[in-house]
Amino acid sequence: MKKVFKQIISSMKIDEVNNQTTPDDLIEDQEGKKNISPSLNKNEEEFNAVFDKTFDFKIEKVLVGNSEGLILYLSTMVDAQAIKEAIRPALVVAHKKQETISSSSDLKLFQKEYLPSQNVVDVSYNHEVVWYILSGYTVLLVGGLSDGLAIMTTTTDKRSIDQSQTQTIIRGPQDSFTEVKTTNVSLLRRRIKNPHLKSENFIVGKDTQTSICMVYLDDVANDSIVNEVRKRIENISTNAVFDSGNVEEYLVDKVITPFPMIYHTDRPDAIAADIVEGKVAIVVDGSPFVLSTPVVFTDFFQVSEDYYQGFMMASMLRMLRYLAFLIALLLPSMYIGLTTFHHELIPTGLIVSIQAQREGVPFPAVVELLLMEITFEILREAGVRMPRVVGQTVSIVGALVIGQAAVEAGVVSHVLIIVVALTAMAGFVSPIYSFANATRLLRFALILITAALGLLGTLIGFLLIITHLCNLKSYGVPYLAPMGPLIMEDQKDVFVRLPMQVMQQRPNYLSAKADQKEDQKQPLPSLSKEEGS
């Protein structure tokens, strides 16, 4: 059995690839790069063949000075207004002046004179032309030259910055990330105005060519963590990336665990705070959820609002989240253990009431509990997947109607409805959805082991969970830090949140280059030529 389990684990390991996916993967002939042809007719035939059966691919013949040229673009990827206002007027003026463009240097002079304010890239190979067209650029080719210009005309259609839909707060910033990578990076830069904020770009996905950005403070983040994140991103081998969830499994340590090993959120302030502490953020183009690593267990009990209100209230709410986690994890299994195996631990009046309610119930307590838990999970999933207009109504009404009907029919007891409802509400307290999912999964495992061994099974299961947590690491950082190993200096922001004046040191478990969050203030340079003015 152990041998079979090892084979399963080994088959799940991710094969590492040494080469990063780049635009060069578009080259069909990997032995060499094909230069752009000086013949416009040949270029037109070749790129028409590449974009065959592509209705939005456009090739237009234009005049560039006194030479013929082509502009190539995808109409669904470019901003037509940008072509109309930037490129076409430049071509008209150059033609009126009869500019001579017969060499690469002439083309560069044309770009500097007529397209000075545009984001322009020189292209020399066919695969580069294809890459920039797919990226929303308009490519300009001139007859007789083996070079061209890729002019940025990407469409500006995107979802506006809105409130967070997954982690709502009452006090604090109300913006959230969008599906556009550049917008997300700008949201971070607005909060961290520091020249040490670095943003490295990678291209991942053979078919999708998705852009991924790694953001960190190079004077704070530990070099070994940054290098490891960079290495894992470069080693991603996949055909398609549509969301940060697609790359998350490639970035985590190779362990089998229900607990999330990377923090994800759509709140810019939360990611900015992680970066300032010394963590590394991963922004995936097309995803409104940004990843942050390394992660520890306590990160999933902290929310941004803890730092926007008084420390006493924040501390109380944080302890409430820990309590809710224990209730969501242990309450159903403890109910099974107490009512089935250990009646002596329940007060006499309460046990009489519970047994009186269960007198007509035809199922054992564990079957009764599993029946209601599975029913509630179905209702929750239905509420999420159904149209938003009716989903919430169906989940609430369904729970009330089914619960009341089950009690009246004698299928379940009243006290069980209370246990299931309290467990569900405690599960919703968790600020991170992926962590709440881990609690849901482990709850069923504890119910089954308790049904076999009683409260001893609950204790064994809980100890196994703690042992598993002690063995987890995220980029070399113990998952239970700073509780295990115990780091006294970091206890200021674990179960309680002490005043801001006390929390001036970055977490020790991150081994950040700069320990203090506030370095000694440096005088600002004078903005006036006259000293003292």
Side-chain angles (χ1 to χ4, degrees):
M1 187 68 181
K2 185 177 181 181
K3 185 178 180 181
V4 174
F5 184 73
K6 287 184 176 180
Q7 290 178 349
I8 295 174
I9 300 299
S10 62
S11 66
M12 295 181 64
K13 289 185 177 179
I14 302 170
D15 296 331
E16 292 190 352
V17 180
N18 293 327
N19 296 326
Q20 176 191 345
T21 307
T22 67
D24 287 346
D25 290 331
L26 294 174
I27 309 173
E28 294 183 2
D29 182 10
Q30 294 291 337
E31 295 181 357
K33 300 177 181 179
K34 191 172 182 180
N35 289 305
I36 298 173
S37 172
S39 171
L40 293 181
N41 291 331
K42 188 174 181 181
N43 286 330
E44 188 173 0
E45 292 177 3
E46 187 152 351
F47 291 116
N48 270 324
V50 172
F51 291 99
D52 184 31
K53 299 180 181 178
T54 306
F55 80 95
D56 54 343
F57 177 64
K58 307 295 180 185
I59 294 183
E60 298 180 14
K61 294 183 178 180
V62 296
L63 292 173
V64 187
N66 57 9
S67 304
E68 293 184 347
L70 295 175
I71 58 173
L72 306 87
Y73 59 91
L74 291 173
S75 59
T76 55
M77 290 290 293
V78 302
D79 184 2
Q81 197 68 17
I83 297 177
K84 181 180 178 181
E85 295 179 356
I87 299 177
R88 296 193 189 280
L91 296 176
V92 170
V93 174
H95 177 61
K96 287 181 179 180
K97 292 184 178 181
Q98 289 294 299
E99 296 283 357
T100 300
I101 303 177
S102 58
S103 64
S104 298
S105 59
D106 292 338
L107 186 61
K108 290 182 179 179
L109 289 174
F110 167 81
Q111 183 260 318
K112 290 180 180 179
E113 183 175 354
Y114 296 98
L115 299 168
S117 61
Q118 302 300 311
N119 188 350
V120 182
V121 181
D122 296 328
V123 290
S124 302
Y125 302 100
N126 283 356
H127 74 279
E128 291 179 336
V129 174
V130 174
W131 164 256
Y132 283 108
I133 290 175
L134 292 172
S135 299
Y137 284 66
T138 297
V139 176
L140 174 65
L141 302 179
V142 181
L145 300 182
S146 295
D147 298 294
L149 298 176
I151 308 160
M152 187 174 186
T153 53
T154 310
T155 178
T156 56
D157 293 339
K158 61 183 179 180
R159 181 170 64 92
S160 60
I161 299 175
D162 204 351
Q163 292 185 356
S164 173
Q165 300 297 316
T166 58
Q167 298 180 34
T168 57
I169 62 175
I170 297 175
R171 181 178 180 180
Q174 299 297 322
D175 56 347
S176 66
F177 289 120
T178 69
E179 286 77 12
V180 182
K181 183 196 70 175
T182 53
T183 302
N184 295 341
V185 174
S186 71
L187 289 173
L188 295 175
R189 288 199 176 276
R190 290 177 190 176
R191 288 170 165 81
I192 308 175
K193 299 179 178 66
N194 190 331
H196 291 283
L197 184 67
K198 305 302 178 183
S199 53
E200 299 182 21
N201 199 56
F202 304 85
I203 304 298
V204 174
K206 176 71 175 178
D207 297 327
T208 59
Q209 296 287 297
T210 305
S211 178
I212 297 179
C213 186
M214 181 176 70
V215 186
Y216 61 96
L217 284 171
D218 67 344
D219 64 332
V220 175
N222 187 287
D223 287 336
S224 61
I225 294 176
V226 174
N227 293 334
E228 184 63 25
V229 175
R230 184 187 296 113
K231 176 184 175 183
R232 294 186 187 185
I233 295 176
E234 291 175 346
N235 288 340
I236 294 176
S237 176
T238 184
N239 289 332
V241 172
F242 300 107
D243 184 78
S244 58
N246 296 140
V247 302
E248 186 172 339
E249 292 187 24
Y250 292 93
L251 300 179
V252 299
D253 293 40
K254 296 174 184 177
V255 294
I256 297 179
T257 177
F259 294 98
M261 298 302 294
I262 283 187
Y263 185 88
H264 69 269
T265 180
D266 63 347
R267 295 197 58 84
D269 56 336
I271 294 296
D274 286 348
I275 293 174
V276 170
E277 283 189 343
K279 297 184 180 181
V280 179
I282 299 99
V283 183
V284 179
D285 195 23
S287 173
F289 289 93
V290 174
L291 308 178
S292 174
T293 192
V295 68
V296 293
F297 183 77
T298 57
D299 288 340
F300 299 101
F301 295 90
Q302 301 172 0
V303 297
S304 303
E305 197 171 13
D306 288 349
Y307 307 95
Y308 305 145
Q309 58 183 343
F311 70 94
M312 288 188 290
M313 189 64 188
S315 300
M316 188 199 75
L317 293 178
R318 186 171 296 179
M319 289 187 288
L320 183 64
R321 292 185 205 111
Y322 282 103
L323 177 62
F325 165 70
L326 294 176
I327 291 175
L329 181 66
L330 299 174
L331 181 60
S333 56
M334 291 185 66
Y335 170 79
I336 296 296
L338 291 173
T339 57
T340 305
F341 295 94
H342 305 282
H343 304 96
E344 67 278 2
L345 297 178
I346 306 176
T348 304
L350 182 58
I351 188 62
V352 170
S353 175
I354 293 174
Q355 293 301 330
Q357 293 177 27
R358 297 198 70 256
E359 185 175 355
V361 176
F363 304 112
V366 61
V367 175
E368 179 188 12
L369 180 61
L370 287 174
L371 183 64
M372 289 308 300
E373 282 284 354
I374 293 173
T375 302
F376 186 84
E377 292 295 333
I378 293 173
L379 286 171
R380 172 153 51 182
E381 192 68 13
V384 171
R385 306 303 166 198
M386 290 186 68
R388 189 169 298 180
V389 178
V390 297
Q392 192 173 18
T393 304
V394 168
S395 60
I396 295 175
V397 175
L400 292 174
V401 171
I402 292 177
Q404 184 65 26
V407 172
E408 292 182 356
V411 179
V412 297
S413 61
H414 290 84
V415 67
L416 182 68
I417 296 295
I418 297 174
V419 170
V420 173
L422 182 58
T423 302
M425 288 189 293
F428 287 130
V429 172
S430 176
I432 306 299
Y433 184 71
S434 58
F435 189 81
N437 287 341
T439 308
R440 291 161 63 186
L441 185 62
L442 292 172
R443 181 165 66 240
F444 282 97
L446 287 175
I447 290 173
L448 294 177
I449 192 174
T450 302
L453 302 176
L455 289 182
L456 176 62
T458 305
L459 179 60
I460 293 174
F462 189 64
L463 291 177
L464 287 175
I465 292 173
I466 295 177
T467 304
H468 175 68
L469 289 172
C470 291
N471 289 325
L472 293 180
K473 285 188 177 182
S474 176
Y475 289 84
V477 176
Y479 197 67
L480 283 183
M483 298 180 294
L486 183 64
I487 304 174
M488 293 305 300
E489 295 84 355
D490 293 345
Q491 300 302 314
K492 304 170 184 177
D493 194 24
V494 179
F495 298 104
V496 296
R497 201 272 286 176
L498 297 185
M500 290 294 187
Q501 295 85 344
V502 180
M503 298 190 303
Q504 296 303 322
Q505 190 160 343
R506 292 185 171 91
N508 284 272
Y509 58 81
L510 292 176
S511 301
K513 295 178 183 177
D515 292 336
Q516 298 293 327
K517 290 184 181 179
E518 289 187 4
D519 296 328
Q520 185 176 359
K521 294 183 179 180
Q522 300 293 330
L524 292 174
S526 176
L527 300 179
S528 174
K529 294 183 179 179
E530 297 181 6
E531 186 176 357
S533 61

